[in-house]
Amino acid sequence: MRQHFGYALLGASLGAIGLAGTAASAAEQITFVSQGGAYQQAQTVAILDPSAKKLGITINQDSIPDAWPAIKTQVGSGKPIWDVVDTPTGYCLRGGEQGLIEKLDFSKIPNAAAMPESYRSPYSVSYEFYSSVLAYSQKTFPKDAPNSWVDFWDVKKFPGRRALRNHPIATLEAALMADGVAPDKLYPLDVDRAFKKLEEIKPSITVWWTSGAQSAQLLNDGEVDMEMAWNGRVSAVAKEGAKVAFTYNQGILQSTSLCILKGAPNLDTAVKFLNEAVDPVHQANLPLNIDYGPGNPNAFQTNVIKPERAAQLPSEPANASKQALMSYAWWSSPAGEAAEKRWASFMQK
């Protein structure tokens, strides 16, 4: 599931899978870790297999829903096993601050150096994007559907059952936008103001969901009329026939990133792989296999992604411009950690 910093468990663990590039050398290999399931299968086809072939390396794969505890344990042991991790961006930043993640030399990662600065950090490079969006039932709202967090909070104009994620990340941002804060003026978050606004809507929240699967089920079964949900979850149930839709307006654009464990056993190869993984063409292939946007915006200039497909993706420039870009730096700060701890007391009231 998308958890902690907002990521989704996309299926059962793949376990350790060896991928041999056609020109692989035993001396040139890395161990790559992701979240498993349909997501890891999609990136294998779109990015990992082509990268292994082009670089002539072997990419050994592992998967885990939450890499953070293992990162701490592996690096703490002084003998990490993993090299590159695809994980919520906040973990890369927090790991960098705690000496668990390698600082990146972007002179050796030209594909990442060409990306917007907001899409990378000294310890990470954006790998894929998803969005926390306002989704709704088209049966309940066949016309004049809610189109903003102000509408979500307006229970008189838009009556109906509502759901929000039981987690502060993205939820506090939505509350502030409902209170009139512009998407590009959210950070640093006014936490007091956000929780005050959440108190207003709390009596109208039917379900505080805890997994992406649950959020999809709520919409699919008609148990709620509108909710915050991840765009891929909504589009998935829509493809199955559910009369649901969502808007990117005031969505919260979130990412996972690639980062390299401190003391990675195959550091040089890991750096080469990281550069290849954000190659615009490889990145453009990802949304052909799953409903997530490329981390490298140059992917939209490759002509691999057709216009009609691009229009569906959260990181497509026009869609991205309607949204708030999640600040993982803020959520990794002491203020962000305090906001996470405060969430538990908010829910217990």
Side-chain angles (χ1 to χ4, degrees):
M1 61 184 165
R2 292 189 188 271
Q3 61 179 18
H4 196 66
F5 285 98
Y7 197 64
L9 171 61
L10 295 157
S13 168
L14 292 178
I17 301 173
L19 279 176
T22 55
S25 163
E28 292 270 14
Q29 62 178 321
I30 63 165
T31 298
F32 173 86
V33 183
S34 189
Q35 294 88 19
Y39 171 55
Q40 193 157 344
Q41 292 169 12
Q43 62 181 298
T44 297
V45 173
I47 297 173
L48 302 182
D49 281 353
S51 295
K53 183 176 182 179
K54 184 174 178 181
L55 296 174
I57 66 173
T58 296
I59 299 176
N60 305 300
Q61 293 193 49
D62 202 352
S63 62
I64 190 170
D66 182 2
W68 178 241
I71 291 172
K72 291 191 290 185
T73 299
Q74 286 195 23
V75 178
S77 74
K79 294 182 179 179
I81 299 171
W82 297 341
D83 293 291
V84 179
V85 179
D86 168 15
T87 192
T89 303
Y91 289 148
C92 297
L93 300 185
R94 187 172 294 176
E97 294 166 358
Q98 298 182 13
L100 303 174
I101 297 296
E102 290 280 351
K103 195 168 186 177
L104 300 176
D105 179 354
F106 284 101
S107 69
K108 298 179 180 177
I109 314 172
N111 285 329
M115 293 165 59
E117 289 188 5
S118 58
Y119 284 18
R120 51 189 166 89
S121 80
Y123 302 100
S124 64
V125 178
S126 293
Y127 186 52
E128 60 88 25
F129 279 101
Y130 62 98
S131 292
S132 292
V133 296
L134 169 54
Y136 56 88
S137 165
Q138 292 177 307
K139 291 181 179 178
T140 307
F141 304 105
K143 58 181 181 179
D144 299 326
N147 190 47
S148 69
W149 296 114
V150 171
D151 291 347
F152 186 91
W153 256 252
D154 191 340
V155 297
K156 293 183 179 178
K157 184 177 180 180
F158 298 96
R161 298 156 298 176
R162 287 159 163 78
L164 281 173
R165 185 186 178 204
N166 186 359
H167 201 284
I169 290 182
T171 313
L172 295 193
E173 281 88 340
L176 288 171
M177 284 188 276
D179 207 31
V181 180
D184 62 346
K185 305 294 184 185
L186 286 171
Y187 301 99
L189 295 185
D190 186 335
V191 175
D192 289 339
R193 182 176 175 180
F195 276 106
K196 183 178 179 181
K197 192 65 179 177
L198 280 167
E199 293 286 358
E200 287 183 19
I201 198 68
K202 194 175 183 180
S204 300
I205 301 301
T206 306
V207 180
W208 294 88
W209 56 263
T210 56
S211 71
Q214 184 187 8
S215 71
Q217 174 263 319
L218 291 169
L219 274 179
N220 194 46
D221 296 350
E223 293 184 31
V224 298
D225 300 294
M226 68 175 84
E227 66 172 345
M228 171 182 280
W230 294 314
N231 68 286
R233 295 289 185 173
V234 185
S235 59
V237 295
K239 288 176 183 175
E240 294 172 357
K243 298 297 183 184
V244 299
F246 69 89
T247 176
Y248 278 123
N249 187 45
Q250 294 191 341
I252 298 97
L253 188 61
Q254 297 162 253
S255 66
T256 68
S257 286
L258 298 182
C259 52
I260 301 173
L261 269 64
K262 190 75 172 181
N266 304 287
L267 178 59
D268 291 342
T269 308
V271 172
K272 286 194 291 186
F273 165 74
L274 197 153
N275 181 62
E276 192 64 31
V278 294
D279 171 84
V281 173
H282 294 331
Q283 287 274 302
N285 284 326
L286 183 64
L288 305 186
N289 294 278
I290 199 165
D291 289 338
Y292 296 117
N296 188 342
N298 291 332
F300 291 105
Q301 300 172 14
T302 61
N303 295 320
V304 173
I305 310 172
K306 301 303 180 186
E308 57 271 23
R309 178 58 172 155
Q312 300 169 341
L313 301 174
S315 57
E316 189 274 333
N319 289 334
S321 68
K322 301 175 184 176
Q323 302 176 70
L325 180 62
M326 170 73 69
S327 174
Y328 292 98
W330 186 86
W331 279 106
S332 296
S333 72
E337 293 184 30
E340 282 196 63
K341 293 177 181 176
R342 182 172 170 178
W343 183 262
S345 60
F346 166 76
M347 292 301 297
Q348 291 170 0
K349 288 181 181 176

